[in-house]
Amino acid sequence: MKLYNTLTKTVDTFVPNTPGKVKMYTCGPTVYHFAHIGNLRSYIMEDVLEKFLRFEGYDVTRVMNITDVGHLTSDGDTGEDKMLKGAKREHKTVMEIAEFYKEAFFRDAADLNIKTPDVVEPATQCIDEFIRVIEGLLEKGYAYVAGGNVYFDTSKLKNYYALTGHDADELKVGVREDVGEDENKRNKTDFVLWFTKSKFDDQELKWDSPWGIGYPGWHIECSCISMKHLGEDLDIHCGGVDNIFPHHTNEIAQSEVYLGHKWCNYWFHVHHLNDETGKMSKSKGEFLTVSLLKRKGYDPVAYRFFCLQSHYRKPLTFSYSGLDNAVAAYAKLKKKILNLDPAGEVDPEAFATYRAKFSEAVGNDMNTAQGMTVLYDVLKAPVNGATKLAILDELDKVLSLNLTVRPVVEEAPVEEVEKDEFTLYVEAMIAERAAAKKAKDYARADAIRAELKEKGVTLTDTPKGTTFTRE
Ligand code: AMP
Ligand code: ZN
């Protein structure tokens, strides 16, 4: 497979450290709010990468962290902890917030056919590992204590900017503007490994450490969680492009100093999904989530289809008209597939030919759009329906577009489809209420019941789940 590598800035042939095996790490969500569909674009493309590597025969181990502490509102170590901000917003504890939004994330991921990584590790479970690595960095003289915090000294590195390919001045443009000054830092790009003092003393989760009671910085999480589960070397590290600097740059700095050798060979970054006004936001404008799309009547898999039509290395603009076009194309494709006659024997030669065609397309720096054109080639191919269905099933191991799955609504009468938008909304609210109850967030669960009641919907909890009646 060929893959663009942010580190070398070229499309490289992928060669793992151990033949046949791939160690892959993904920066996970900061669970202070729902993921927006931009975040999920990154997770969809990373999911395709993982599945394609498996399709090519690699034995993949994929690890993802859950950021439940340490990610401040600015990536430059200033501002409030995002988790604490979420807890204040919803009058809950940080752990309640983490649990609730972690479940919400995996529910969205499941709706988008994103496989859960082999290992998922919350940062709060790895405090001992963080402390051990920070101690190692201090011993090696690459970290220092100032004003109660422990900082990584970036001036000691010759190649700090290897990943970005730019220096500090150039990076000022485009980096989040809210990066404030911290007078404890010896160098502007130094970053916090462990906080005991920040402007926000009411941090809820704190742990004892050799430097006092405090909490870890965000960057150290990913290095340590990766090393804990994948050892001293890594084949592919993934994230969105905003992670390149400072997050991944800092991960490389501390990991390679700690280990004393090169850490990760391939850096895979997904470009952003933007809305029509520019940047996707959780606080401004319409907060675009999977549940919002569902409430509006969209099948989340149609959003996956929308993402796969574009190359991961190009920014993508979301619009409802763009999504509607994807919905129409997806429906047309599925209709053709579901009309195929499954009778007959599978032709192994045709199967191998189209599999290879797909492998070549997607293997060329994850050209998923090109990969999808193979689906149309298969439909037009001079082979029987059984062969076409077998090939489509095979390619769908990577694309995960439910290509040969018959929709349940297919048997529903026309009225059923027409009433859908409101029903989908009620069902989404019932699902959210179930998740809130599971997270012991009874206030939210009651608020949902009350909101639905106002709209004339009465909920009844039964052992098999919640049913509803409408006035
Ligand atoms: P966060 O939950 O903020 O830590 O972000 C989770 C993932 O989403 C990270 O890999 C980010 O790089 C990525 N991400 C953030 N914003 C976008 C966006 N607009 N489009 C695509 N990926 C994004
Ligand atoms: Zn990370």
Side-chain angles (χ1 to χ4, degrees):
M1 151 169 231
K2 291 205 190 80
L3 208 51
Y4 179 81
N5 184 355
T6 313
L7 191 60
T8 58
K9 283 139 203 83
T10 52
V11 177
D12 298 338
T13 299
F14 174 69
V15 184
N17 281 309
T18 308
K21 287 191 194 298
V22 178
K23 295 190 204 173
M24 186 170 169
Y25 183 85
T26 300
C27 287
T30 309
V31 283
Y32 72 112
H33 216 323
F34 292 107
H36 56 52
I37 58 171
N39 301 128
L40 290 158
R41 179 193 190 196
S42 287
Y43 294 107
I44 288 171
M45 301 319 285
E46 291 161 6
D47 180 64
V48 173
L49 174 60
E50 174 190 341
K51 287 175 179 165
F52 183 69
L53 289 165
R54 292 186 194 275
F55 183 86
E56 293 294 284
Y58 290 108
D59 173 9
V60 182
T61 311
R62 176 150 171 229
V63 175
M64 183 174 87
N65 69 309
I66 297 288
T67 299
D68 52 1
V69 69
H71 192 174
L72 305 190
T73 47
S74 147
D75 287 355
D77 295 336
T78 60
E80 199 169 5
D81 188 307
K82 287 189 180 188
M83 295 303 300
L84 190 61
K85 208 173 154 191
K88 282 185 186 163
R89 184 186 64 230
E90 298 184 21
H91 307 288
K92 290 187 211 149
T93 65
V94 163
M95 276 295 113
E96 282 167 347
I97 288 286
E99 205 45 48
F100 180 79
Y101 287 112
K102 192 173 86 182
E103 283 201 19
F105 173 80
F106 284 113
R107 221 170 32 241
D108 289 346
D111 279 342
L112 293 165
N113 287 343
I114 295 172
K115 175 185 168 293
T116 301
D118 303 293
V119 178
V120 175
E121 178 90 274
T124 48
Q125 300 301 308
C126 298
I127 302 299
D128 290 347
E129 278 86 3
F130 305 155
I131 291 176
R132 200 169 54 242
V133 172
I134 297 169
E135 279 179 322
L137 295 173
L138 279 161
E139 270 165 34
K140 291 186 176 211
Y142 282 80
Y144 58 93
V145 178
N149 298 331
V150 186
Y151 294 85
F152 186 93
D153 186 347
T154 53
S155 71
K156 297 252 156 118
L157 298 176
K158 281 193 233 81
N159 217 4
Y160 177 63
Y161 293 107
L163 192 64
T164 66
H166 301 279
D167 67 15
D169 286 338
E170 285 174 74
L171 282 168
K172 273 189 209 147
V173 186
V175 173
R176 301 185 182 175
E177 319 76 40
D178 51 352
V179 176
E181 294 298 335
D182 173 349
E183 59 202 25
N184 294 320
K185 288 185 184 181
R186 290 183 192 161
N187 312 286
K188 208 178 165 95
T189 45
D190 290 358
F191 56 93
V192 180
L193 297 163
W194 186 268
F195 287 98
T196 69
K197 296 230 166 32
S198 84
K199 272 191 266 174
F200 299 94
D201 286 337
D202 55 349
Q203 180 76 357
E204 206 176 282
L205 300 178
K206 292 184 193 179
W207 295 265
D208 203 4
S209 83
W211 318 285
I213 293 173
Y215 59 100
W218 172 41
H219 315 298
I220 196 73
E221 284 180 18
C222 290
S223 292
C224 293
I225 293 174
S226 173
M227 287 187 227
K228 176 175 173 185
H229 296 286
L230 297 170
E232 291 202 359
D233 51 61
L234 189 57
D235 293 300
I236 308 179
H237 194 310
C238 317
V241 279
D242 60 311
N243 285 159
I244 297 173
F245 186 85
H247 186 48
H248 291 166
T249 298
N250 292 347
E251 278 188 46
I252 294 175
Q254 64 206 0
S255 302
E256 297 195 348
V257 166
Y258 179 76
L259 293 168
H261 58 74
K262 186 166 180 183
W263 175 48
C264 175
N265 291 332
Y266 297 87
W267 290 82
F268 175 85
H269 289 109
V270 180
H271 279 254
H272 274 186
L273 180 83
N274 302 311
D275 61 23
E276 283 171 304
T277 64
K279 205 168 177 276
M280 186 110 340
S281 168
K282 294 188 183 185
S283 49
K284 282 178 238 131
E286 192 180 44
F287 181 7
L288 288 163
T289 58
V290 167
S291 50
L292 177 76
L293 294 186
K294 282 168 78 178
R295 283 206 293 276
K296 287 180 183 267
Y298 290 104
D299 173 359
V301 179
Y303 173 65
R304 183 173 173 112
F305 185 93
F306 172 79
C307 290
L308 299 194
Q309 285 177 317
S310 296
H311 198 263
Y312 76 95
R313 264 198 308 128
K314 291 205 179 105
L316 177 60
T317 302
F318 176 81
S319 67
Y320 283 106
S321 62
L323 183 59
D324 287 338
N325 287 339
V327 167
Y330 179 53
K332 215 166 143 193
L333 173 67
K334 277 210 65 166
K335 194 168 166 207
K336 281 190 185 147
I337 295 171
L338 296 179
N339 280 337
L340 290 171
D341 176 3
E345 294 279 307
V346 175
D347 171 350
E349 216 170 290
F351 184 95
T353 303
Y354 286 96
R355 194 186 192 282
K357 231 176 152 182
F358 178 82
S359 168
E360 196 186 331
V362 182
N364 181 15
D365 192 23
M366 281 261 298
N367 194 335
T368 47
Q370 193 73 43
M372 292 214 296
T373 65
V374 179
L375 303 177
Y376 298 92
D377 294 345
V378 171
L379 285 169
K380 282 186 274 170
V383 292
N384 65 15
T387 305
K388 291 180 183 177
L389 285 167
I391 302 168
L392 294 167
D393 263 336
E394 179 72 0
L395 309 192
D396 211 28
K397 286 180 183 164
V398 176
L399 301 173
S400 297
L401 290 169
N402 298 341
L403 291 177
T404 60
V405 179
R406 274 176 199 282
V408 185
V409 286
E410 208 186 31
E411 285 139 38
V414 179
E415 313 86 81
E416 278 280 306
V417 177
E418 276 173 2
K419 72 164 195 212
D420 250 8
E421 197 162 325
F422 188 74
T423 307
L424 281 169
Y425 158 73
V426 175
E427 282 168 2
M429 293 302 274
I430 289 175
E432 197 180 329
R433 179 169 166 265
K437 280 168 74 175
K438 206 163 167 207
K440 300 200 173 40
D441 181 358
Y442 299 114
R444 178 73 191 132
D446 289 346
I448 290 170
R449 181 190 278 278
E451 189 181 322
L452 290 175
K453 186 83 199 161
E454 239 173 55
K455 294 191 164 80
V457 176
T458 306
L459 301 184
T460 311
D461 292 320
T462 76
K464 283 190 177 158
T466 303
T467 59
F468 69 94
T469 50
R470 280 162 73 174
E471 269 167 21

